[in-house]
Amino acid sequence: MGRVWPLTFPALAAWVSALILLGCPATVGATVAALAAAGAGFAAWLARSSSHRNVTIAVLVCLAATAASIALRVHAVTTGPTVALAARGATVTAEITLTNDPKIRRSKTAYFTRDSVIAEATLESLRTGRQRMVVHTPIVVFANGSEWRDLLPSQRLRVSGRLSAPTSGHLTAAVLLVRGPPRILTPPSWIQTAAGAFRQGLRRAADVLPPDQRGLLPALVVGDVSRIDQQVNSNLQEAGLSHLNAVSGANLAIVAGAALALSRLAGLPLAPRAAFAALAMLAFAIVARPSPSVLRALLMGLVAAAALGTGRAKDGMAALSVTVLLLILFAPELARSYGFALSVTATAGILLLAPRWRTRLTGSAPTPSNNDTPTPDIVPSGSRWRAHLVGFDPTDTSTTASTPVEARVTASGRPVGETGRRLRLPRWAAEAVAVPAAAQAAVTPVLVLMSGQVSLIAVPANLLAGVAVAPATLLGFVAALIAPFWPEAAQVLVIPAGYAVGWIIMVAQWAANVPMANLPWPAGLAGLGLLVVVVAVAVPVMRRRAWRTVTLTVVGAALAAMLVLRPIMAPWPPPGWLMVMCDVGQGDGLVIAAGPQQGVVVDAGPDPSVMDGCLRRIGIRDVPLVILTHPHADHVDGLTGVLRHRRVGAVLTSPYQESPPQSAHFTADLARRRIPTWTAHPGTRWRFGPSELTVLAPDPANAQAGGQGEGSAANNSSVVIHVRWPKGSALLCGDIESEAQEDLLRGPLPQADILKVPHHGSPRQVPAFFNAIDPRAALVSVGADNGYGHPAPKTLAALRHLGARIYRTDKSGDLAIVATDTGLAVVARGSRAR
C-alpha cells in the first residue's frame, strides 16, 4: 500500500478543503491558497528529499489548488449584475442554456396541480426594462408546466421571471423563478439530440413491459427516473438497492467490458481495444448524463483504459485518488454531494476491503494489493476480459502470491499456526459476498450522516439482485441504441431485460418486508461518533475466536427474540381491531375494518409506499371502497400505494374539484383500471363487515363553503363520515375548517366516541363543534416537525377541556381502535412505521 497513500492524502485534503471552503467567502479561499502554497514552498526548501516530505508537499499543493479554484468560482458567483439583481428580487427577461435535463417533480401543495420543474442552466443574457446585459453565470431555474418535460441540455430558451438569491454553499449566482412557458430559441446540439433519441427510444420500447418494470429499466440502464414507480423506488431504498435506479460505476463497467470483449473478438491490438472501451464509456456517460457517480466511474475508467493502452502498471486506489482530485479541482461542488461521497466510499471499500475478505472466505493465500488489485466497480470481476481493463488476470496463477507469502501458508492454503476448520467458499462465491459487504461497510458512515439508519439487509439483497444487473443493463443498452432505427427489435430485447428487472423488483420487495431490515441510528455527527465507538469495540472482539463466538451467539439470540417474541407479545394489528390510523406523516390515511383481509380506506396520505406499508402490516388485500375526502396531496397522493396488488371496488370523492383537466386525468386513470368513481352525497350508507359508514357532508346542492386560507375551499368540502360499530362510533372529518363545522352544527350532528381531529389539529376549529361531538378520544394525524404548527396548542387545549384523551401519530405511530367489554379503546403501535 505504500504507493497508494501518497496519492490518497492529497485527494482527501482537496475533498475536505472543498467541503469547508464552499460555504466561505472568496477571500477565505484565497488566503488558504496563499498559505498552503507558501507552506509547500517552505517544505520543499527546508526538508531533505524523502517520501514524507513529498507527500506533505503534494498535500499542500493540492490544498492550494483547490482553495484557489473555489475562491475564483465563489468570486464569480457572488459578484456582477446578476447577483445585484437577485438581491433586490428583480423581474427580468432572460436567455438561458440548459446544462442538464429538467427534473420534473409533483407539487405537494395540492393533488391536482401542474408539474414543478427544477433545471440547471447558464444565464446568457438578461433584460430589465430597456437595459440588456450579456452575462455567463450558472443559475438554478424553478418553473411549472409540462412544456419543460421534453427539453434537452444545450437548448437555449427565453423565459421571464424573478431573480432571487441562491442557497448558501452552492456555486450558483441566482435562482430564477420562471413565470409562464419557455420560448425555445435553438434546438439541442447533435450530441444531445442523439442522446435524447436513445433515451426516448428506450422509454418507448419499455412500454411493452408492466408498469413497475417499464419505469425501472430506463432508470437502471441510462438513469432515466421519469417513470419509476414510487413504491419500487421506496423498496429499493429500504433494501439498500437504491444505487440500481441511478447509473453508477457498475453500469459503466458492464458497457466497458462488453466493448473490450467485442474488440478482442475482432482481433484488435491492445491500444485500439483500450481506445474503443474509452469511446464506449464516453458515449454511455453522455446518454446517461454526467451524475456524480458517473463522473467518478468515467474518470477511473479512462485512467484504467489509458493504463491498459500504454501497458503501464494499474492501481485501483491510485486511479480513485486521481479521479477524486481532478473532480474536486474542476467541479468542487461535488464535495457536498452525498451521491459522490457514496460512490467514492463504496469504490474504496471494494478496493481495500474486498480482496482481504475474499481471501479470508476462500482460505487461500492473499494476493499482492499494491498494483494487482482489480477495480470491481469499474470492471466487475468474474471473467478474464473484464479484468484486462485494470491489468489483472484472475486466471493467471503467476500473480497469485509472492514467495514470502507462500512461505507462511500450508499446502492446503491455511495460514501457518491457524487450527480448526473454517468455512471455505469457492472464489466466485467469496467474491460475490465480499464485494457488496465491503461496499456496504464503507458507505455505512455516509448513510448514518444522511438518514440515521444502519442496514442489515443490504448485503443479502445485493447478492440476490446482482445476478440480474448485467443482463438487464446490456440488453437495455443495446435496445436503447437500436430503438431509434428499429423499434420492433428494441421491444423484443427489452422483454428478457424486463424479466431481469422483475427479479430485482421482487428482491427489493422481499427485502423491504423483512422485519428490522434497517436499524434506527442517531443521524449526523452524533450517530457517526457512536458508529466509530461500536466499530472500535467490535473489531478487537471479533478478532478472537472465543469472543467472536460468544458475541455472535448473543447478537443472534437477541435478533431472534425480537423477531419471534415481539409479534407474539405485541401483535399488529391488535386482535379485534376496528379502525387503524396509519402514520403517514403530514396527511391522513385511515383503514376501517370490513371483514377478513378487507378494509375501507379513508384517504391515502402523501406517499404511496408508506400507505402500502401500513396496509401490508394490517394484512389488507381487498379494499371494497376508497374514500378520498378532498383533492389535496397529503390525502390522495398515496392512492397508488392502495391500488398496488389489491382489488379496489370503487372510489368515493368530494364534489369539489380544484382543476377540471387534472381531475379528468385522475378519473381516466381509475377508469383504465376499471375502478368506478362516485361522488359523495349526504345520507349514503354502507355496511362492510362490522362497520357501518354514513356520509354526513358535504351537500353538493349547497353553495361551497369558502375560507380564509389557501385551499380552504377544498378543505371545507371534505367528505365527513360517521362510522358505527356495536361497541361505539367514530367521526372522520377530513380537513373541514370552522365554516364547514358551523354548517354541520346547524343540522343533526351525531355524537362519537372517537374523533378524527379535522385538518391535523389546525387552529381553525369551532369549540362548539367539539362540544356537540363530545368525544372520549381524539386522534390527530400529523407529521413530526411539520412547518404548519400542527396541532395548534389551542385546539389541543379545547379537546383536553372536554376530557378527551389525545393520541398523535407523530408521537405514537400507527393508532388502532379496538373493541373491549366496556366500549372502544385506542392502541398505539409505539414506533414510527416508515
Side-chain angles (χ1 to χ4, degrees):
M1 297 296 294
R3 295 171 59 181
V4 171
W5 299 114
L7 290 170
T8 304
F9 283 133
L12 287 175
W15 193 350
V16 173
S17 63
L19 194 64
I20 297 172
L21 294 175
L22 277 175
C24 299
T27 53
V28 175
T31 302
V32 171
L35 292 175
F42 183 71
W45 173 77
L46 183 65
R48 293 182 302 173
S49 179
S50 66
S51 59
H52 295 291
R53 188 203 71 158
N54 294 337
V55 170
T56 301
I57 294 174
V59 167
L60 291 174
V61 168
C62 291
L63 179 61
T66 303
S69 173
I70 293 177
L72 292 174
R73 291 170 180 267
V74 170
H75 177 75
V77 299
T78 54
T79 58
T82 304
V83 177
L85 292 172
R88 65 172 190 260
T91 298
V92 300
T93 298
E95 292 187 7
I96 62 174
T97 300
L98 296 178
T99 56
N100 209 335
D101 289 292
K103 297 178 176 63
I104 310 297
R105 298 183 180 180
R106 288 286 312 281
S107 170
K108 290 298 180 181
T109 58
Y111 184 68
F112 301 120
T113 58
R114 304 180 73 189
D115 293 327
S116 61
V117 180
I118 302 176
E120 298 174 1
T122 299
L123 180 61
E124 305 289 357
S125 67
L126 52 87
R127 182 184 296 276
T128 57
R130 296 183 178 180
Q131 184 180 11
R132 183 178 184 274
M133 290 173 283
V134 177
V135 293
H136 189 78
T137 310
I139 62 171
V140 175
V141 176
F142 287 85
N144 292 296
S146 58
E147 300 89 352
W148 294 78
R149 185 180 298 274
D150 296 327
L151 298 178
L152 295 173
S154 75
Q155 282 190 277
R156 189 163 180 144
L157 313 172
R158 179 176 292 134
V159 295
S160 297
R162 181 173 61 85
L163 290 171
S164 64
T167 305
S168 176
H170 293 272
L171 295 179
T172 54
V175 172
L176 180 60
L177 307 175
V178 175
R179 300 167 183 167
R183 179 184 174 187
I184 299 176
L185 300 179
T186 63
S189 64
W190 69 269
I191 293 179
Q192 295 298 342
T193 300
F198 293 139
R199 292 165 69 92
Q200 180 66 22
L202 180 59
R203 283 197 297 268
R204 290 176 177 172
D207 285 340
V208 300
L209 301 176
D212 51 358
Q213 296 178 16
R214 79 172 64 129
L216 182 57
L217 181 62
L220 173 68
V221 176
V222 294
D224 184 355
V225 297
S226 60
R227 299 195 302 181
I228 190 168
D229 184 87
Q230 294 187 42
Q231 181 65 51
V232 172
N233 189 41
S234 175
N235 288 344
L236 291 171
Q237 292 178 354
E238 291 291 327
L241 298 172
S242 59
H243 58 92
L244 296 182
N245 67 355
V247 176
S248 65
N251 304 72
L252 205 68
I254 293 169
V255 172
L260 283 174
L262 291 175
S263 59
R264 189 172 186 181
L265 289 175
L268 296 178
L270 190 62
R273 291 207 305 264
F276 185 62
L279 289 175
M281 289 187 287
L282 286 170
F284 182 78
I286 293 173
V287 174
R289 303 294 189 249
S291 65
S293 59
V294 172
L295 286 175
R296 192 273 312 153
L298 175 62
L299 281 184
M300 285 193 68
L302 293 178
V303 170
L308 173 64
T310 58
R312 295 179 180 273
K314 297 89 184 173
D315 190 318
M317 276 302 297
L320 178 62
S321 300
V322 171
T323 298
V324 170
L325 183 58
L326 291 176
L327 288 176
I328 294 299
L329 283 174
F330 294 101
E333 61 272 13
L334 290 177
R336 291 194 172 186
S337 168
Y338 275 119
F340 181 70
L342 289 171
S343 177
V344 172
T345 52
T347 306
I350 292 173
L351 292 171
L352 296 176
L353 301 178
R356 290 163 175 75
W357 293 359
R358 179 191 60 205
T359 300
R360 297 279 294 179
L361 291 172
T362 58
S364 60
T367 60
S369 57
N370 56 344
N371 283 325
D372 292 329
T373 302
T375 312
D377 194 44
I378 290 300
V379 181
S381 59
S383 62
R384 182 169 181 166
W385 55 264
R386 290 177 184 167
H388 272 301
L389 182 57
V390 290
F392 177 82
D393 189 346
T395 64
D396 185 1
T397 57
S398 64
T399 60
T400 55
S402 59
T403 302
V405 176
E406 289 175 344
R408 295 194 295 270
V409 299
T410 65
S412 62
R414 180 181 300 128
V416 173
E418 181 178 327
T419 60
R421 299 182 61 184
R422 290 179 54 191
L423 177 65
R424 297 178 62 182
L425 299 177
R427 182 184 177 89
W428 64 268
E431 190 150 346
V433 174
V435 169
Q440 187 63 32
V443 302
T444 295
V446 183
L447 294 176
V448 166
L449 286 173
M450 284 176 56
S451 56
Q453 65 178 16
V454 175
S455 176
L456 301 180
I457 200 66
V459 173
N462 276 277
L463 282 173
L464 293 173
V467 296
V469 174
T473 301
L474 283 175
L475 291 170
F477 189 61
V478 174
L481 292 178
I482 68 174
F485 317 103
W486 194 2
E488 295 81 8
Q491 290 179 345
V492 172
L493 284 175
V494 300
I495 292 176
Y499 289 128
V501 168
W503 169 255
I504 296 173
I505 293 172
M506 187 173 65
V507 170
Q509 185 175 1
W510 163 80
N513 293 331
V514 171
M516 298 181 62
N518 294 289
L519 293 180
W521 199 272
L525 294 177
L528 185 60
L530 178 61
L531 183 65
V532 170
V533 172
V534 170
V535 172
V537 173
V539 168
V541 168
M542 298 300 288
R543 280 183 172 274
R544 295 180 177 271
R545 175 169 298 186
W547 293 3
R548 181 168 66 243
T549 302
V550 172
T551 303
L552 292 177
T553 302
V554 171
V555 172
L559 289 175
M562 296 182 70
L563 292 175
V564 176
L565 297 180
R566 181 176 177 180
I568 298 175
M569 300 177 63
W572 192 262
W577 70 276
L578 299 173
M579 186 177 77
V580 171
M581 174 177 278
C582 301
D583 177 18
V584 295
Q586 184 66 16
D588 276 2
L590 300 98
V591 186
I592 301 170
Q597 297 184 336
Q598 294 183 330
V600 174
V601 174
V602 181
D603 286 331
D607 190 330
S609 61
V610 174
M611 193 65 201
D612 176 57
C614 179
L615 293 173
R616 281 191 278 110
R617 287 192 296 273
I618 302 172
I620 298 298
R621 296 184 178 180
D622 190 359
V623 181
L625 181 66
V626 175
I627 301 174
L628 302 178
T629 60
H630 63 292
H632 277 177
D634 56 341
H635 291 252
V636 300
D637 265 11
L639 179 60
T640 54
V642 178
L643 301 176
R644 189 172 183 84
H645 304 308
R646 296 180 185 87
R647 189 195 73 84
V648 174
V651 174
L652 182 75
T653 63
S654 167
Y656 179 87
Q657 300 296 345
E658 286 188 317
S659 179
Q662 284 80 1
S663 175
H665 174 75
F666 170 72
T667 305
D669 183 56
L670 292 176
R672 181 179 58 82
R673 299 173 183 265
R674 298 183 179 180
I675 300 174
T677 57
W678 304 331
T679 301
H681 293 273
T684 306
R685 183 173 299 175
W686 300 272
R687 170 157 308 263
F688 298 103
S691 309
E692 182 183 279
L693 286 70
T694 304
V695 177
L696 302 183
D699 188 351
N702 297 336
Q704 293 179 353
Q708 298 180 3
E710 180 183 358
S712 291
N715 290 338
N716 282 323
S717 297
S718 295
V719 179
V720 179
I721 301 291
H722 186 251
V723 188
R724 290 185 59 86
W725 301 287
K727 292 291 186 177
S729 62
L731 187 65
L732 313 181
C733 303
D735 276 2
I736 60 172
E737 300 178 3
S738 55
E739 295 83 3
Q741 294 173 19
E742 290 171 351
D743 288 344
L744 286 170
L745 284 173
R746 298 187 186 100
L749 182 63
Q751 292 186 338
D753 302 289
I754 308 293
L755 170 66
K756 201 291 293 187
V757 179
H759 202 191
H760 322 294
S762 77
R764 302 201 70 243
Q765 313 286 342
V766 177
F769 179 73
F770 294 159
N771 292 335
I773 299 170
D774 193 23
R776 294 191 297 110
L779 311 184
V780 184
S781 182
V782 65
D785 302 322
N786 64 85
Y788 305 99
H790 297 164
K794 73 173 188 178
T795 300
L796 299 179
L799 291 167
R800 292 192 184 99
H801 180 72
L802 296 174
R805 186 167 181 179
I806 300 172
Y807 298 87
R808 299 167 49 171
T809 57
D810 63 331
K811 302 293 186 182
S812 303
D814 297 347
L815 301 171
I817 308 300
V818 298
T820 65
D821 294 336
T822 58
L824 300 178
V826 180
V827 178
R829 187 163 182 257
S831 64
R832 298 188 62 77
R834 294 306 176 89

